[in-house]
Amino acid sequence: MSSGCLQTEEFFPPLKRACPPYTSSTEFEEATNLLAETPDAATTSRSDQLTPQGHVAVAVGSGGSYGAEDEVEEESDKAALLQEKQQQQQPGFWTFSYYQSFFDVDTSQVLDRIKGSLLPRPGHNFVRHHLRNRPDLYGPFWICATLAFVLAVTGNLTLVLAQRRDPSIHYSPQFHKVTVAGISIYCYAWLVPLALWGFLRWRKGVQERMGPYTFLETVCIYGYSLFVFIPMVVLWLIPVPWLQWLFGALALGLSAAGLVFTLWPVVREDTRLVATVLLSVVVLLHALLAMGCKLYFFQSLPPENVAPPPQITSLPSNIALSPTLPQSLAPS
């Protein structure tokens, strides 16, 4: 078909029928000529769906192809971007941006992890089902801070209530308990995971099948396991000793069970003796923390200073008592 006929079809639709019909060989000849003029052009062959005029659709592009080749190029671009992102230099641990990623967590994630620590189940790994390779420090930090504050406040409230029941008890505000509680809780939440992580790393060299958690994952496990102690401390305000010990045992059981169920997939690859001793030490340290909080922050004060009763001392029998007369009756 000549160029004049093409222009007639494009600019004068009513004259479209005047163009002589042409065969399919003519179509391919035109497509070949057009591709020869534009070597970067891409053709799209549609054998089943033709254009209304029966023409062959020719797509002229700047380069590249469509269809499967485009998908391959798009996937390669994504892989290149991902590799470039991974190769970016990580900020140093002394910078603020290094720790900022550990606090990048929303409320729903924190609540989900708290729920997972309160409801431990056998076979339900806290790290795999709740952390999902994204440990955070936001939850453990505020859980430890809340527990320390609640310990100090409830410890003072217990003494205030005891003084109302027994006026002989002398009470004065004990602000040093805030410092003691903060140091104790934060040291436990950081030093014990550090020791546990170091031990598991050492055992990994002995047992190659072991894959210990990272240090941040271990800190996250211990931090969320302490949440159950917060309502326990509040319930310790009830002045019934056996009920206080019952609440403490329940909280300790839930918290220790969560630790055991989470650590078991790691330590089971080790020998049975090492696994048993390690889990026993973990539970024992947890029990010592709970008992220490109970005995130190909720101890009863002694009564107010009262003069002790006079002590009667007996004199030896061989000492004779000399009679004394009143001064008014003494001879002058």
Side-chain angles (χ1 to χ4, degrees):
M1 182 182 295
S2 63
S3 60
C5 183
L6 291 175
Q7 293 177 356
T8 303
E9 287 183 356
E10 181 177 2
F11 297 102
F12 300 94
L15 299 179
K16 173 180 172 183
R17 298 179 179 177
C19 297
Y22 51 90
T23 61
S24 60
S25 61
T26 308
E27 298 176 0
F28 288 107
E29 289 178 1
E30 293 180 359
T32 304
N33 295 333
L34 183 58
L35 287 175
E37 295 176 0
T38 57
D40 293 335
T43 61
T44 303
S45 176
R46 299 178 181 177
S47 59
D48 297 335
Q49 299 178 356
L50 298 177
T51 58
Q53 292 81 10
H55 295 177
V56 176
V58 178
V60 180
S62 60
S65 60
Y66 299 123
E69 295 182 0
D70 287 344
E71 295 180 359
V72 173
E73 290 183 0
E74 188 174 343
E75 291 179 358
S76 62
D77 292 341
K78 290 181 180 180
L81 291 175
L82 181 60
Q83 184 178 4
E84 182 180 356
K85 184 177 180 180
Q86 292 177 351
Q87 291 178 353
Q88 290 180 355
Q89 185 178 3
Q90 296 293 334
F93 69 92
W94 59 86
T95 60
F96 179 76
S97 57
Y98 177 80
Y99 299 96
Q100 187 177 5
S101 60
F102 302 139
F103 291 85
D104 186 13
V105 64
D106 54 16
T107 305
S108 60
Q109 291 176 336
V110 174
L111 293 178
D112 178 70
R113 295 172 182 184
I114 290 175
K115 181 181 177 181
S117 66
L118 292 176
L119 300 174
R121 300 191 303 272
H124 188 81
N125 194 329
F126 180 80
V127 174
R128 186 173 67 251
H129 291 87
H130 298 281
L131 295 186
R132 300 184 182 91
N133 297 326
R134 288 193 59 188
D136 69 286
L137 295 179
Y138 180 87
F141 175 82
W142 286 110
I143 288 175
C144 293
T146 305
L147 179 58
F149 179 76
V150 172
L151 265 176
V153 171
T154 52
N156 282 271
L157 285 178
T158 301
L159 299 178
V160 172
L161 297 176
Q163 186 184 24
R164 289 188 176 184
R165 294 190 304 269
D166 188 1
S168 63
I169 296 178
H170 175 69
Y171 165 75
S172 60
Q174 299 178 351
F175 296 105
H176 66 280
K177 287 187 175 182
V178 180
T179 305
V180 174
I183 293 176
S184 303
I185 298 301
Y186 276 103
C187 286
Y188 179 83
W190 282 90
L191 296 182
V192 174
L194 177 62
L196 178 62
W197 173 77
F199 179 79
L200 293 178
R201 292 285 295 181
W202 172 68
R203 292 301 299 178
K204 180 182 178 181
V206 179
Q207 300 288 334
E208 296 182 356
R209 295 179 300 172
M210 292 182 59
Y213 300 128
T214 63
F215 174 66
L216 289 179
E217 287 175 342
T218 310
V219 172
C220 201
I221 293 170
Y222 266 83
Y224 281 101
S225 68
L226 296 177
F227 180 83
V228 70
F229 289 133
I230 297 177
M232 176 201 69
V233 170
V234 176
L235 292 175
W236 276 351
L237 288 173
I238 302 175
V240 180
W242 67 269
L243 199 57
Q244 293 177 349
W245 287 107
L246 178 61
F247 290 146
L250 291 176
L252 176 62
L254 289 175
S255 184
L259 291 177
V260 171
F261 294 155
T262 304
L263 296 176
W264 173 247
V266 176
V267 301
R268 68 180 176 183
E269 301 294 339
D270 208 328
T271 61
R272 180 173 298 181
L273 177 61
V274 173
T276 303
V277 172
L278 179 61
L279 294 179
S280 300
V281 171
V282 168
V283 175
L284 180 62
L285 292 177
H286 229 51
L288 290 177
L289 176 68
M291 293 181 62
C293 294
K294 174 67 174 66
L295 298 176
Y296 180 80
F297 294 96
F298 294 88
Q299 61 180 347
S300 58
L301 285 179
E304 196 175 4
N305 294 332
V306 179
Q311 297 180 357
I312 302 175
T313 58
S314 60
L315 296 176
S317 58
N318 56 358
I319 298 178
L321 296 177
S322 59
T324 56
L325 295 176
Q327 186 176 3
S328 58
L329 300 178
S332 54

